[in-house]
Structures are given as C-alpha cells and as structure tokens.
Amino acid sequence: QSVLTQAPSVSAAPGQKVTISCSGSSSNIGNNYVSWYQRLPGTAPKLLIYEDEKRPSGIPDRFSGSKSGASATLGITGLQTGDEADYYCGTWDRSLSAEGWVFGGGTKLTVL
Amino acid sequence: QLQLQESGPGLVEPSETLYLTCIVSGGSISSSSCYWGWIRQPPWKGLEWIGSIYYSGSTHYNPSLKSRVTISVDTSKSQFSLKLSSVTAADTAVYYCARHKGDYGDLSRGFDSWGQGTLVTVSS
C-alpha cells in the first residue's frame, strides 16, 4: 500500500481531457516536489512533469501538472490513443521514522 | 544524449544475491547535480524505489529494503551497481536504473532519464 493514493483506472474518449490525481500528506506532497511518469506498454517509464508543473523538453503542452496542499494532479488534453499507458506520481517522503522516494500505485488510462 | 544500460543475470536462485550494473554514457556520472538510482517493477504491480547514490558514494535506501541492499558507484568505469541479498520470489521484477535529479542532499526532483530495464526472475 503506497503512501501516495491514485485511482486505479480512468478512461476518456479521444480528443477529451482527463485528470489523474495523486493524494498524499504533509510529509510528502505537501512539502516536496511532485513528478509524473508515463509508462507505455513494454517500455521504460518516461518523465512527463517535474517540480510539480514543469515539462521536460519534448513533452507536449497537452500534459500539465499542478499541486494544491497535499494533492497533485496530472492533466492531459486532446487525448490520443497513444496516450494509453500507466501514469505514476512520485515524490520524496520524510516522516518521523524514515525517508525515501515514493511512487503512487499508478493509474491506468484507457482512451476509448 | 544521456543513456543508461542495465546488465546482469536474468535468473537468480532463492536466497542468493542479485547483482546488477548500470553503465552511464553520454554524460558524466560525476555530475554534482544528480544522484543515480535503482527502481523496480514486479509483474502486475507498481514502481518501487530501491535506492540512490551520489557520485561521492553517499547513499539513500528504501527503508523496507535497506537491510538487503547495497548500491555502489565506480566513477572510473562510469557505472553504478546494485546488490540485493537473500532474494525471494517477491524480488522478481523489471529493474531500472535512472538518473535522479537534484543537488547533494536534494532527492526531491525525480528521475529524468531511465534505462530500458532488465527482467530478473528469482527461481530455482
């Protein structure tokens, strides 16, 4: 059970917009940067968003990130069938007993 | 362009030790603005961070794996390595190496370059 909570799945039609949420706490999202990763079937994860809202070069502006308090959101507009993938949030977690990098459980996006 | 490539045995027997190496090319493993990390993904499960190392040798490990994990770096060979002891079937996973963005002491900025991954199966 991850300390970051994501919905297991989400679906939307081509051309539509979808949001994927990542819920944490003050020991992780609330006080550290969030990054988002896309894992297409059979490939390595790819960084989509870093430092809450920044896009690496080459990532289209259809992908966006935001954060409010202890929750973060990935937005994808103009959905394409090629966006079907698993999406993971991640951040540094610093609790009283331990610290380390944590990933959310992942959200499977289906483009209908 | 930075490239990372994992290598190591694809099959490890239970109770033995898993060894993997990641070769870094197209960039400096001695960069002061990043760590180097290992992440794994068991079949049908999510991503799990194993640990990260700075070029100086300073390490951070996942608390749940810390007792079994050792990550080391060899800057002369531009590579870093993972050792996971006393493996069980639960350690069967695709193992990735990745660049972990951030200055020394700052591991909050994520993983911006990944190797292709290597499947390690624990079985007799």
Side-chain angles (χ1 to χ4, degrees):
Chain A
Q1 195 77 355
S2 176
V3 298
L4 303 181
T5 302
Q6 296 183 242
S9 62
V10 65
S11 62
Q16 296 298 304
K17 174 183 178 179
V18 71
T19 58
I20 297 173
S21 297
C22 178
S23 177
S25 69
S26 59
S27 70
N28 41 67
I29 291 177
N31 283 285
N32 290 291
Y33 288 121
V34 175
S35 48
W36 289 91
Y37 305 85
Q38 176 193 58
R39 188 176 182 282
L40 294 166
T43 69
K46 179 171 72 174
L47 178 67
L48 288 179
I49 298 290
Y50 68 100
E51 294 178 17
D52 300 338
E53 59 185 9
K54 297 178 180 179
R55 280 179 288 105
S57 60
I59 301 300
D61 59 7
R62 299 189 299 109
F63 295 90
S64 63
S66 63
K67 188 174 81 173
S68 178
S71 293
T73 302
L74 172 70
I76 311 173
T77 59
L79 275 173
Q80 303 172 0
T81 55
D83 296 331
E84 281 205 344
D86 295 322
Y87 293 84
Y88 296 89
C89 58
T91 187
W92 190 255
D93 180 79
R94 185 175 287 113
S95 64
L96 290 176
S97 58
E99 62 176 356
W101 185 270
V102 290
F103 288 102
T107 297
K108 181 176 181 60
L109 169 63
T110 301
V111 181
L112 302 170
Chain B
Q1 181 178 348
L2 186 72
Q3 291 189 320
L4 299 94
Q5 179 66 58
E6 306 90 350
S7 63
L11 181 65
V12 181
E13 293 196 357
S15 80
E16 297 296 310
T17 298
L18 177 161
Y19 293 95
L20 293 175
T21 295
C22 181
I23 295 177
V24 178
S25 60
S28 175
I29 199 170
S30 299
S31 169
S32 61
S33 61
C34 66
Y35 284 71
W36 304 95
W38 289 98
I39 300 105
R40 69 181 183 180
Q41 184 164 25
W44 309 112
K45 294 188 177 180
L47 298 169
E48 180 181 37
W49 173 72
I50 300 170
S52 296
I53 189 166
Y54 199 64
Y55 77 92
S56 64
S58 175
T59 54
H60 293 264
Y61 297 133
N62 185 324
S64 68
L65 298 170
K66 187 174 183 177
S67 64
R68 299 193 292 129
V69 172
T70 302
I71 297 176
S72 58
V73 63
D74 186 337
T75 56
S76 67
K77 295 182 179 179
S78 196
Q79 65 183 43
F80 61 106
S81 300
L82 169 69
K83 184 177 78 170
L84 181 64
S85 63
S86 305
V87 298
T88 69
D91 294 310
T92 293
V94 175
Y95 285 76
Y96 298 99
C97 59
R99 183 171 67 179
H100 192 162
K101 291 164 55 74
D103 297 329
Y104 182 73
D106 176 14
L107 291 95
S108 68
R109 300 177 189 270
F111 303 90
D112 65 344
S113 292
W114 296 66
Q116 65 184 25
T118 186
L119 174 63
V120 178
T121 301
V122 178
S123 175
S124 56

